[in-house]
Amino acid sequence: MIRIFIAIHIITAFSVTAMAQKSKVLAIFQLIESEKYDEAKIAVEKAIEDESTYRWSKTWQARGQLCQTAYEKGIEKKDKKKYELYPDQLYVAFDSYEKAIMLDNSGRMADQLAPRYVLLANDLLKLGEDHYKNKAYAEALRAFEHVLHINQSPVLSLQPDTNLLYNTALAAYESKEWGKATDYLHQLNEYAYSPNVPHLLAILYLHENDTVSAENVLYSAIDRYENNEDLVLLLIDLLYQKKEIGKAVSVLDATSAKNDSAYIFPYTKGLVYQKADNYEKAIEAYKSALKLEPDKVEIYENIGTCYYNIGVEIQQNARKLKNNKAFQEEKRRSAAALRTSAEWFEKVINKDKDNQKAATILNQLYKTLQITDRPVRTGQQ
């Protein structure tokens, strides 16, 4: 009987102590409402260390609510002491709420905290935006990822926010977190969010020297985004770097057929051929571009350069000939190409009188061709 009595007495004493400690936890909520945040912090940290309240969900709810409320009040009143009550205060709030839900056996805690999760997500989103604006990309990424976690948690179960996902991807990209950036961009690509998404994805793949994946992403994207100019040009550059000139030209021809008023595609085709030293086809492509954009000075310059290169190329080949007649014929062909080049550079000067580069080439051509009946161009009048 005596042993039973002692055991009952101990259990009763423990229960009374536990109830007393839990009462102190409940009092923390009153301290928070009264804005006595320092007192609330001391009380909640003691409750966390106490065995009787450490595993009580209300203890962690109180800590999360303290962090969130003090932060919001501090931001509102520009009171650093309040919004820096804890280091990484909003993250402490998030971790505390998560633990409160984990320890809750009733299943009601999640419902109670749902409105606070919404506010917490907004606070973290604003924090992330401020970090991003200040180029603190790693911190921005941390904040955005927490917002994603909150939105996707069973507490809220919201529909995916593609704008948030895009901001998170950008923060990961700027932080050089390539794996995370790729993952988020792939998710966005499934939603066909923006042409910038496959553009960034392709750049990431190229950064990793994965040209196959980059090419696949871009091929898919130019169909999805109706031959978006930036995506097409990035794909063309990739194909050119891989020396796949035929594929690059095929893409440009197909794109031009669907965008027959856009000069950029035949113009780029001209650039591809010109870089590949196929000057005749480059000139043909440039002339197609010129019909669509007759005031584009660069087209005239490039045509003039192609004729110039043709003339130089003929000269170099002529030097290898031993037959004088054949040599003289090649020399005439070279001079004809150079004269045509001069005509195109004269057109450049007529459109852009201050074009120093064109003037220098034109003067050189006049001297080579021994043309003395035309004024020497200086490029600066």
Side-chain angles (χ1 to χ4, degrees):
M1 286 292 294
I2 293 173
R3 288 180 178 176
I4 293 172
F5 176 77
I6 292 172
I8 292 171
H9 179 73
I10 292 171
I11 293 169
T12 303
F14 180 79
S15 298
V16 170
T17 302
M19 287 299 296
Q21 290 302 111
K22 288 186 175 182
S23 295
K24 290 181 180 179
V25 170
L26 295 175
I28 294 169
F29 292 97
Q30 294 296 323
L31 291 172
I32 296 170
E33 285 186 20
S34 303
E35 298 187 23
K36 296 178 180 178
Y37 302 130
D38 291 324
E39 291 179 44
K41 181 180 179 181
I42 292 170
V44 81
E45 293 305 318
K46 283 183 179 178
I48 287 172
E49 294 173 3
D50 192 292
E51 290 185 6
S52 62
T53 49
Y54 172 76
R55 297 194 63 78
W56 192 33
S57 61
K58 283 287 184 183
T59 303
W60 296 96
Q61 180 189 10
R63 190 189 194 209
Q65 196 164 320
L66 167 62
C67 291
Q68 185 178 6
T69 305
Y71 179 89
E72 290 171 352
K73 188 62 69 172
I75 294 296
E76 178 189 339
K77 295 186 175 181
K78 299 182 179 178
D79 187 341
K80 191 174 182 180
K81 186 179 177 183
K82 289 183 175 64
Y83 65 71
E84 290 187 357
L85 186 68
Y86 284 84
D88 290 335
Q89 194 157 315
L90 290 179
Y91 301 108
V92 176
F94 172 80
D95 292 339
S96 299
Y97 287 151
E98 291 285 285
K99 190 148 190 173
I101 292 171
M102 182 188 72
L103 293 172
D104 178 48
N105 294 320
S106 68
R108 293 192 296 270
M109 182 62 72
D111 291 337
Q112 291 176 28
L113 289 179
R116 292 198 169 275
Y117 265 61
V118 172
L119 295 174
L120 183 60
N122 290 335
D123 291 335
L124 284 165
L125 182 60
K126 179 65 169 60
L127 181 65
E129 289 170 349
D130 289 342
H131 281 315
Y132 194 91
K133 195 179 298 181
N134 293 321
K135 299 184 178 181
Y137 299 119
E139 288 301 316
L141 174 61
R142 183 188 183 194
F144 291 146
E145 286 188 316
H146 273 74
V147 180
L148 282 175
H149 185 91
I150 290 171
N151 288 354
Q152 294 166 3
S153 73
V155 177
L156 298 181
S157 297
L158 300 178
Q159 291 296 316
D161 182 341
T162 52
N163 290 329
L164 170 61
L165 197 57
Y166 183 65
N167 289 339
T168 309
L170 289 181
Y173 182 86
E174 296 291 354
S175 303
K176 294 181 171 54
E177 291 278 358
W178 308 127
K180 286 185 175 183
T182 302
D183 180 55
Y184 291 130
L185 288 169
H186 266 300
Q187 292 180 51
L188 278 167
N189 212 26
E190 294 297 315
Y191 293 107
Y193 177 79
S194 156
N196 199 38
V197 170
H199 192 281
L200 288 174
L201 255 181
I203 290 173
L204 281 174
Y205 281 128
L206 291 173
H207 181 270
E208 297 170 355
N209 295 317
D210 186 353
T211 57
V212 174
S213 295
E215 187 176 333
N216 289 338
V217 165
L218 290 171
Y219 266 116
S220 175
I222 61 174
D223 287 335
R224 176 179 291 175
Y225 295 103
E226 297 183 350
N227 303 296
N228 176 273
E229 182 179 311
D230 291 336
L231 293 173
V232 171
L233 296 183
L234 184 59
L235 176 59
I236 296 308
D237 185 62
L238 171 58
L239 294 173
Y240 175 78
Q241 295 300 328
K242 294 173 69 177
K243 302 188 185 307
E244 296 180 352
I245 306 302
K247 287 175 71 173
V249 169
S250 294
V251 170
L252 289 167
D253 284 342
T255 308
S256 293
K258 297 176 184 176
N259 301 269
D260 56 8
S261 62
Y263 89 95
I264 190 66
F265 302 117
Y267 175 72
T268 303
K269 181 179 174 180
L271 287 175
V272 169
Y273 276 132
Q274 184 176 347
K275 289 178 181 179
D277 298 336
N278 194 333
Y279 302 119
E280 297 288 353
K281 287 190 175 181
I283 291 168
E284 184 182 339
Y286 285 138
K287 287 182 176 178
S288 295
L290 200 57
K291 291 176 182 177
L292 300 171
E293 193 65 37
D295 293 324
K296 192 74 174 175
V297 174
E298 288 85 350
I299 304 177
Y300 293 89
E301 285 182 335
N302 289 350
I303 294 174
T305 300
C306 285
Y307 277 114
Y308 180 88
N309 290 337
I310 289 170
V312 171
E313 196 175 75
I314 293 171
Q315 280 182 353
Q316 290 173 343
N317 291 332
R319 294 193 187 105
K320 301 173 186 177
L321 298 174
K322 295 180 180 179
N323 184 289
N324 185 58
K325 184 178 179 181
F327 173 78
Q328 293 300 327
E329 177 61 29
E330 290 302 283
K331 192 174 177 180
R332 282 192 291 272
R333 287 182 60 235
S334 173
L338 294 177
R339 277 194 296 273
T340 305
S341 175
E343 291 169 4
W344 283 98
F345 278 109
E346 285 173 349
K347 292 176 182 179
V348 173
I349 295 297
N350 288 335
K351 290 185 172 294
D352 180 10
K353 297 187 186 309
D354 296 329
N355 192 317
Q356 183 64 48
K357 178 183 174 184
T360 301
I361 294 173
L362 189 54
N363 286 333
Q364 183 181 340
L365 284 165
Y366 285 163
K367 290 176 184 177
T368 301
L369 295 167
Q370 297 180 340
I371 296 175
T372 58
D373 60 341
R374 299 180 196 178
V376 176
R377 306 287 181 174
T378 64
Q380 299 290 335
Q381 301 296 329

